[in-house]
Amino acid sequence: MSASAAKVSKKELNSNHDGGDETSEKEQQEAIEHIDEVQNEIDRLNEQASEEILKVEQKYNKLRQPFFQKRSELIAKIPNFWVTTFVNHPQVSALLGEEDEEALHYLTRVEVTEFEDIKSGYRIDFYFDENMYFENKVLSKEIHLNESGDPTSKSTEIKWKPGKDLTSRSSQTPSKAGKKRQHEEPESFFTWFTDHSDSGADELGEVIKDDIWPNPLQYYLVTDMEDEEGEGEDEDEDEEGLDDIDEEGEDDGEEEEDDDGEDDDGEDD
């Protein structure tokens, strides 16, 4: 092969290689554009799904209301239902001082109401009997999400009776439940009604709405369940003790039989 022919062949190879790169880049760009189109379709379906899911949630939220009402009527027949429920809940109990717990003994009803479109927020209402701490019969807190998604909150102003403002006391003695879970003295539970600094991190409201409200009975019964488990463990220990006694008795009986046998042999001699 001549030198000139070799040069031509090399140029052709380089030309073909460059053309391959251009083709590859073009194909990649087209693929990216197609991926973007497909992704837009996926996003459109996700938005459609969210709208339909919201309609289903709204439908069943309305269907639940009569049952929530019936449940509230039944709970009203059980003294100290709600304070027991809060004390038994690990996260809420950590926020309770002794005086908070005493004040919550007057709590007769709790209601959680999600706003019509659900996504825009919710309200929690606490109903109280006449008590020594404040004048209010109902304390409420609302969490709102505006169109931009930024949360805001507002709540009932607590009308404290003279010398009974629990939120002004920098330190309370932790309740028995609180002592189990933390060493630092908690702020008052009622500070939640006056704290609007960070609605987006409203953990207490979320816990009540999403964890306690759907099934408060499970937390009310925690103590009873623990007692039953403890009784079961005691019964197992008692049964094991009886078995040990029976085994010791059998061993003693066998030893006595052996001793009697040896005595009989001695008499025969």
Side-chain angles (χ1 to χ4, degrees):
M1 181 182 292
S2 65
S4 60
K7 290 181 180 179
V8 171
S9 298
K10 189 174 181 180
K11 287 181 179 179
E12 289 176 352
L13 287 172
N14 289 336
S15 177
N16 290 337
H17 180 70
D18 293 340
D21 288 344
E22 291 176 1
T23 303
S24 177
E25 290 177 3
K26 184 178 180 181
E27 289 176 349
Q28 289 179 21
Q29 185 60 37
E30 289 178 352
I32 289 172
E33 292 174 358
H34 287 309
I35 290 171
D36 187 52
E37 292 173 359
V38 172
Q39 189 61 51
N40 288 336
E41 289 299 315
I42 293 172
D43 293 342
R44 184 182 63 79
L45 288 172
N46 288 340
E47 290 178 6
Q48 184 178 343
S50 296
E51 292 174 0
E52 294 182 9
I53 290 170
L54 180 59
K55 291 178 182 178
V56 172
E57 288 179 347
Q58 289 173 331
K59 172 186 175 181
Y60 283 93
N61 198 33
K62 289 180 180 178
L63 292 174
R64 293 187 194 102
Q65 296 312 308
F67 296 98
F68 285 146
Q69 180 63 33
K70 179 64 175 177
R71 187 182 69 183
S72 293
E73 293 171 1
L74 294 170
I75 286 175
K77 298 179 181 180
I78 303 175
N80 299 323
F81 178 92
W82 284 109
V83 66
T84 303
T85 298
F86 288 158
V87 166
N88 287 345
H89 192 283
Q91 289 172 268
V92 178
S93 66
L95 304 175
L96 299 178
E98 285 186 357
E99 289 182 302
D100 290 328
E101 191 173 327
E102 290 176 11
L104 289 174
H105 274 82
Y106 297 94
L107 178 62
T108 59
R109 183 157 53 107
V110 174
E111 288 186 357
V112 175
T113 305
E114 293 187 272
F115 298 146
E116 184 64 25
D117 61 356
I118 298 178
K119 289 184 177 181
S120 66
Y122 58 92
R123 184 181 74 250
I124 302 178
D125 299 311
F126 295 77
Y127 294 80
F128 289 86
D129 279 339
E130 178 69 28
N131 62 80
M132 68 179 74
Y133 294 96
F134 42 79
E135 302 288 348
N136 311 71
K137 299 297 183 183
V138 183
L139 296 178
S140 303
K141 186 168 185 177
E142 296 183 1
I143 306 296
H144 293 266
L145 294 176
N146 56 29
E147 294 180 357
S148 62
D150 297 325
T152 57
S153 66
K154 63 180 182 179
S155 60
T156 306
E157 180 183 355
I158 303 177
K159 299 178 181 178
W160 296 102
K161 293 182 178 180
K164 294 296 184 179
D165 185 350
L166 301 181
T167 63
S168 67
R169 302 176 186 180
S170 58
S171 63
Q172 293 189 48
T173 303
S175 67
K176 294 179 180 178
K179 285 180 179 178
K180 293 178 182 178
R181 296 173 178 85
Q182 66 177 42
H183 299 292
E184 296 181 2
E185 295 182 349
E187 289 185 350
S188 172
F189 170 85
F190 293 91
T191 302
W192 177 66
F193 289 97
T194 60
D195 184 7
H196 305 290
S197 59
D198 190 1
S199 303
D202 194 338
E203 294 182 8
L204 178 57
E206 294 294 324
V207 166
I208 295 173
K209 178 175 74 75
D210 297 330
D211 192 15
I212 295 177
W213 175 248
N215 184 9
L217 187 62
Q218 64 179 327
Y219 292 107
Y220 176 79
L221 295 175
V222 164
T223 304
D224 292 337
M225 293 171 64
E226 289 178 350
D227 290 343
E228 289 177 4
E229 290 175 0
E231 290 175 2
E233 291 174 359
D234 292 340
E235 290 176 0
D236 292 340
E237 290 176 0
D238 291 341
E239 289 177 1
E240 289 175 2
L242 291 172
D243 291 341
D244 292 340
I245 293 172
D246 291 341
E247 289 176 1
E248 290 175 0
E250 291 175 0
D251 292 340
D252 292 342
E254 290 175 359
E255 289 176 1
E256 289 178 1
E257 290 178 0
D258 292 341
D259 292 341
D260 291 342
E262 289 175 1
D263 293 341
D264 292 341
D265 292 341
E267 290 177 0
D268 291 342
D269 292 341

